[in-house]
């Protein structure tokens, strides 16, 4: 999984969609079909919305919501003809409640002939997005650091043991004259890793923080 390099810290962590998905909710014969997709720009989200409108051209409504940026600085939502505040806003609140960023959702409604009322619409659009999320795969983007550890063969066993205790795995390893490991380290583990690497090798390991990054925490990948 690739890293995203950042110039400055903007958020400790947030969740992203690794795989989009669909879900459906039925309320009084009206079908609400939610489609979620990872979108990293407003233009990409707009294209996704248009794609869904063309796919479900015969539906009564194609409401949407999206949130862009690692701080969620750009949000948009649309009721697409439903009463104001009954569709887009509740959909957006589900995304923000799930701590998602760079994600978009379109909920398509096929009218079943029975009016749902304001409360019924809010509930239906909210539940549709939740059903869609159940069929997505998400991961947490963590703020941390790309670290390089260089050591001699005599110490590598201790270093690997330490990494195992911290739940860290090298993203690359170079076994040459000396061993060079590169790791993606969550910010809260950096100083402990630095201290214990020095202690376990009697100061014989070179420890360099190369860059600040956001990266997928593999321990938190899930549905």
């Amino acid at each position: 999984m690739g890293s995203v390099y950042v110039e400055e810290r903007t958020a400790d962590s947030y969740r992203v969609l690794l795989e989009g998905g669909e879900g459906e909710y039925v309320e009084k014969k009206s079908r609400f079909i939610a489609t979620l997709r990872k979108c990293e720009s407003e233009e990409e989200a707009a294209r996704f919305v248009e794609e869904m409108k063309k796919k479900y051209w015969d539906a009564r409504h194609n409401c949407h919501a999206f949130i862009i940026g690692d701080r969620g600085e750009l949000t948009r939502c649309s009721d697409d003809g439903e009463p104001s505040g009954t569709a887009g806003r509740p959909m957006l609140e589900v995304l923000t409640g799930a701590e998602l960023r760079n994600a978009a959702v379109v909920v398509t409604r096929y009218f079943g002939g029975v009016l749902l009322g304001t409360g019924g619409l809010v509930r239906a659009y909210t539940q549709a997005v939740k059903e869609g999320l159940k069929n997505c795969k998400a991961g947490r983007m963590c703020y941390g650091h790309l670290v390089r550890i260089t050591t001699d063969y005599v110490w590598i066993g201790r270093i690997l043991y330490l990494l195992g205790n911290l739940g860290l795995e090298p993203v690359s390893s170079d076994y040459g004259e000396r061993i060079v490991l590169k790791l993606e380290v969550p910010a809260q583990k950096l100083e402990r890793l630095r201290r214990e690497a020095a202690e376990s090798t009697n100061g014989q390991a070179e420890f360099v923080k190369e860059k600040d990054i956001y990266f997928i925490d593999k321990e938190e990948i899930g549905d």
Side-chain angles (χ1 to χ4, degrees):
M1 185 63 62
S3 303
V4 180
Y5 291 88
V6 296
E7 295 181 356
E8 60 180 358
R9 177 176 177 174
T10 56
D12 287 329
S13 69
Y14 55 92
R15 298 177 74 226
V16 294
L17 294 178
L18 304 178
E19 296 178 10
E22 295 183 2
E24 183 171 331
Y25 180 74
V26 178
E27 178 77 13
K28 296 180 180 179
K29 298 184 180 180
S30 279
R31 294 176 61 207
F32 296 83
I33 305 167
T35 307
L36 292 104
R37 185 177 297 177
K38 180 179 180 180
C39 295
E40 297 185 329
S41 68
E42 184 173 11
E43 292 75 19
E44 188 176 357
R47 288 195 298 270
F48 166 59
V49 172
E50 289 305 311
E51 177 187 333
M52 291 299 100
K53 286 183 175 181
K54 289 179 181 178
K55 179 178 180 179
Y56 296 109
W57 60 269
D58 57 340
R60 177 72 66 90
H61 305 282
N62 283 287
C63 307
H64 72 262
F66 57 83
I67 181 167
I68 306 295
D70 54 38
R71 292 170 292 169
E73 54 265 40
L74 175 63
T75 61
R76 296 284 187 272
C77 62
S78 169
D79 297 310
D80 193 35
E82 293 281 29
S84 179
T86 61
R89 177 58 58 181
M91 292 162 57
L92 182 61
E93 288 176 354
V94 176
L95 298 183
T96 56
E99 299 181 72
L100 282 169
R101 303 291 184 269
N102 296 326
V105 59
V106 175
V107 174
T108 301
R109 181 189 182 187
Y110 284 95
F111 185 56
V114 179
L115 296 176
L116 302 183
T118 300
L121 287 172
V122 170
R123 180 174 61 253
Y125 279 101
T126 297
Q127 192 60 40
V129 180
K130 290 180 178 179
E131 291 298 319
L133 283 173
K134 291 178 182 178
N135 298 314
C136 296
K137 180 175 287 187
R140 185 168 292 277
M141 294 290 287
C142 291
Y143 173 77
H145 314 282
L146 183 66
V147 169
R148 184 179 74 246
I149 296 178
T150 305
T151 189
D152 296 315
Y153 283 81
V154 68
W155 305 113
I156 188 59
R158 295 187 182 184
I159 291 292
L160 293 177
Y161 179 78
L162 168 60
L163 297 182
N165 283 343
L166 290 174
L168 300 174
E169 294 183 8
V171 294
S172 68
S173 305
D174 182 4
Y175 285 78
E177 290 187 9
R178 303 188 77 201
I179 301 170
V180 180
L181 307 178
K182 289 195 175 183
L183 307 108
E184 295 170 335
V185 182
Q188 67 271 22
K189 293 184 179 181
L190 181 69
E191 289 309 315
R192 180 181 173 188
L193 175 61
R194 188 198 306 271
R195 181 183 68 253
E196 295 189 11
E199 292 173 352
S200 63
T201 63
N202 295 326
Q204 298 304 303
E206 179 185 354
F207 187 101
V208 177
K209 186 184 79 169
E210 292 193 335
K211 292 185 179 181
D212 297 335
I213 59 173
Y214 279 103
F215 64 95
I216 292 289
D217 186 343
K218 298 177 179 60
E219 293 181 355
E220 295 201 35
I221 293 176
D223 297 335

